[in-house]
Each structure stands twice: as structure tokens, then as C-alpha cells.
Amino acid sequence: MAFFRFLTAAVLFATLLRPVLAADAVFPPGVRVGLAPLVGLTLAKSFPGFETEDHSVKVLLTELPADAYGEVKNAFTANPGGTGGIKPESVETTAGTGYYTVENGKDGATPVRRYSMILAGGTFSGYVAVQIPETASKIYTDDAVRQMFASAAVRKEVPVDEQLSLMPFKVTDLASFKTIRTLAPGAALILADGDEAKGFEAAPFMVVSLIAAAPAEPGDRARFAQQAATTIPGVRDARITMSEPIRIDGLPAYETRIDATSGKDNTAVTVVQWLRFGGPNTLRVIGSAPRDQWPVAFPRFRAVRDGIQPKG
């Protein structure tokens, strides 16, 4: 009888540690990579992923550029023994072969076990990082984490409503843009006629975000707007053609226009940046279009801009 009690307990313990089937992979809001979390892990509130109730075990899921997976795969093939005592491992997932590493480290004074996995997502690479304190390593073992990695899956896109729900503002008019993607969940949103595979620059697109800063005085807004315009990513040979104060939805704002080149094909573009002030943060709306498409794109940019409202 003792043997059967032991066997039953062992089977139950293994079942608790085994993730559910890959078909039941859970995707954190706004992210295209997901997995079946181990028992005791629930969706995290402060980052995309999962964690235990005491926040000691963390599983981060995010996206990297598409070529990141190929670089890791090539490094694995060229040096299967690894470097610095860290040997890469492979695991089969529903998204194909994933590659991961395991190493020991410290989180402050706490000894931890760290796992990092990358897998192919087509137009992106899925990345999973796991941190387990030594005190939980008897429950969240290497084998358990490997099984969790094996449950990883990717989805082609995140539903638009799910993405918009994460933003700190409402977007009520999408102006018929074909692609809606969060550049970082809850931080920045891109609306585009192009896609990731072909590049966004050859067609009109917009980026909407919040800047966690604002000019201290109304007289500083012009300088603030021009400095912000110089940080617009992806533009080259930029020349500001106009920068002036306006009002948007009754609030003080600044409009700046730029002629520049953008993209791998050196597309000649016109870019508009709107900054809407009010409070400690600044709403930033950027619209870019090839110069010959500007007259049609600009009214769409304004429609999106005018449909952005604060939440609550």
C-alpha cells in the first residue's frame, strides 16, 4: 500500500508541474508569444508575462526583431558547446525549434536560476526570460521549465481591441489604416498602410505615444517641440519646414513639419509631429508619408489625432 501511495503522489506532483497542452498557451495582453504557465504562475500586472503571488518567480515574454532568432541559431550551430560555461539547449515548440540557455546568478543578494529562450515568429522573434529563486528551485525545476518552454506558441497578430485597451488613451478613429501594432504594449502604437515584412516607410504610417515629460513653462514649448522632432527615429537628412503653436481639442499644442528621407529605399517623406500639452505627460502624434502621398495622408493623420481622448 505504501508503494501505491507513493506512486499516486508522484503522479499528482508531475501533473501539477506539467504545463497544459500548447493549444492552451496563454498570451499576455499585447504580445504575440505565449506559453502554458506552470502551476502557481498567473498573469503579471507590471510586465508582459507571469509571476507567482509573492513575485519571486517571474516569466517575461516579449518580442525581438525577426533576425535575432537567426543570429542565435547560427551561433548555436557554429558553437554547440557554448561559451563561458553556458551551453545552449534546443527544445521543440509549436512554433518550431527554440534555443535556450540556463545560468546561475543573483538578484541582489538572492541566488537565482535564469533561463532565456528565443523562437521564430516570422516577422519577429519571440523571447522568454525566466527567473527562479533558489528557494523555489525544487518546485520549478530545470525539467519543469523545459516543459513550459515546449508549450510556447506564437500568434500572427494581436486583436486590435486588445492592443488599444492597453494604451493610456483612447483612439476612436483608426482612419482605415491596415496595420495596427503596439510598438511596446501600453507605451506606443503604430498605425500603418504597410507591414513589418515590407517596411512601414514606403506608405503612410503614424506613431502615437506619451512622452513622460512636459515643458516647464509655456515659453519653453517651441524648444521642447523642436528637440522632440530631432529624436524621431528612422528619418535622415531632416529639415524642419514649419513649427508653430496650435490648439488640439482645446488644449495647447505644437505642430512641427519635416522634410526628410526614410527607409532602406531612401524614400522622400514629409513628417508631421503634434505635441498636445496638459499635465505631466505630453501626447505625441507622428505621421509620415511619402511626399507624393502627403495630400491624401494628411487628413487621415488629423482624423486619428483628433480622435485621441484621455481614458477615464
Side-chain angles (χ1 to χ4, degrees):
M1 291 294 294
F3 172 77
F4 287 107
R5 284 197 300 270
F6 174 79
L7 181 61
T8 301
V11 170
L12 176 61
F13 184 70
T15 301
L16 288 173
L17 287 184
R18 178 182 61 82
V20 293
L21 296 177
D24 297 319
V26 179
F27 295 88
V31 182
R32 288 177 289 179
V33 57
L35 49 72
L38 295 170
V39 68
L41 294 174
T42 58
L43 282 170
K45 296 180 179 180
S46 60
F47 62 89
F50 309 92
E51 62 183 349
T52 51
E53 187 176 359
D54 64 0
H55 312 298
S56 64
V57 177
K58 297 180 174 66
V59 180
L60 169 72
L61 291 93
T62 189
E63 300 171 15
L64 299 177
D67 56 3
Y69 175 81
E71 293 174 2
V72 172
K73 181 180 178 180
N74 292 338
F76 176 87
T77 303
N79 188 11
T83 58
I86 301 175
K87 183 180 183 299
E89 303 284 349
S90 62
V91 60
E92 293 304 317
T93 76
T94 58
T97 303
Y99 298 95
Y100 72 96
T101 57
V102 185
E103 59 183 310
N104 295 317
K106 284 194 173 184
D107 183 6
T110 304
V112 295
R113 191 90 160 144
R114 292 193 176 105
Y115 307 79
S116 300
M117 183 182 72
I118 194 167
L119 66 158
T123 57
F124 68 99
S125 298
Y127 179 73
V128 185
V130 181
Q131 179 171 291
I132 297 173
E134 189 178 70
T135 53
S137 61
K138 290 184 178 180
I139 298 175
Y140 299 99
T141 64
D142 288 353
D143 285 343
V145 173
R146 180 183 173 87
Q147 290 181 56
M148 182 171 65
F149 281 166
S151 74
V154 298
R155 52 180 173 174
K156 185 177 180 181
E157 57 187 31
V158 180
V160 172
D161 288 346
E162 179 181 319
Q163 296 184 65
L164 295 179
S165 70
L166 300 173
M167 304 309 296
F169 43 75
K170 295 179 182 179
V171 182
T172 61
D173 192 334
L174 299 177
S176 301
F177 278 105
K178 300 174 183 177
T179 299
I180 312 295
R181 282 282 299 129
T182 46
L183 296 177
L189 183 74
I190 186 167
L191 305 87
D193 283 342
D195 55 36
E196 290 169 297
K198 297 178 182 177
F200 295 121
E201 297 86 357
F205 73 92
M206 300 185 71
V207 176
V208 183
S209 64
L210 285 182
I211 299 176
E217 301 292 339
D220 297 331
R221 289 170 184 162
R223 176 181 53 80
F224 187 89
Q226 294 192 22
Q227 287 180 343
T230 64
T231 67
I232 296 175
V235 297
R236 300 183 299 278
D237 305 319
R239 180 174 63 88
I240 293 177
T241 60
M242 182 268 278
S243 191
E244 63 185 28
I246 61 172
R247 296 192 75 82
I248 299 174
D249 197 25
L251 293 173
Y254 231 90
E255 177 177 328
T256 304
R257 296 194 194 182
I258 301 165
D259 282 343
T261 57
S262 182
K264 60 184 179 180
D265 297 326
N266 293 319
T267 303
V269 296
T270 297
V271 181
V272 61
Q273 172 189 263
W274 287 296
L275 300 180
R276 189 176 72 189
F277 306 110
N281 300 318
T282 302
L283 176 70
R284 186 189 201 189
V285 182
I286 297 170
S288 173
R291 214 156 292 161
D292 59 351
Q293 300 179 45
W294 174 258
V296 176
F298 185 70
R300 297 172 67 197
F301 295 161
R302 287 194 58 170
V304 173
R305 181 203 74 182
D306 292 345
I308 297 173
Q309 301 295 329
K311 282 188 173 179

